[in-house]
Amino acid sequence: MTISICIFAHNEEELLPACIAALESAAAGHTYHAHILANGCADQTVAVANSLAAANPNISVYDIVLGDKASAWNDYVYHIAAA
């Protein structure tokens, strides 16, 4: 079984690397796929997330223009996790 993890990120360029490091530690021994939903970011969150994804095949990045957590949640539930 693969655990699906959703990370909502709005202007989180500084905290995202630590978040992924903590995820790696917490998921040790388990199969997972992390989905980073960068929504409405005005900083380098998407670039940082893409860099993390390039180094880890268990990470996908979604650049969502609208900065709205409810909308990002709907994208995850209805389009990403359902796939």
Side-chain angles (χ1 to χ4, degrees):
M1 176 175 78
T2 300
I3 300 168
S4 182
I5 300 164
C6 182
I7 300 170
F8 299 103
H10 175 77
N11 294 339
E12 298 291 346
E13 67 180 312
E14 292 180 19
L15 298 177
L16 200 51
C19 176
I20 295 301
L23 171 62
E24 286 291 326
S25 183
H30 299 281
T31 304
Y32 74 92
H33 194 90
H35 306 274
I36 300 173
L37 281 74
N39 60 96
C41 297
D43 64 357
Q44 294 300 309
T45 296
V46 175
V48 170
N50 284 329
S51 175
L52 293 165
N56 185 336
N58 296 322
I59 298 173
S60 295
V61 179
Y62 304 87
D63 185 5
I64 302 170
V65 176
L66 181 61
D68 180 68
K69 188 174 182 179
S71 177
W73 175 253
N74 285 334
D75 280 347
Y76 175 72
V77 171
Y78 295 109
H79 303 289
I80 298 167

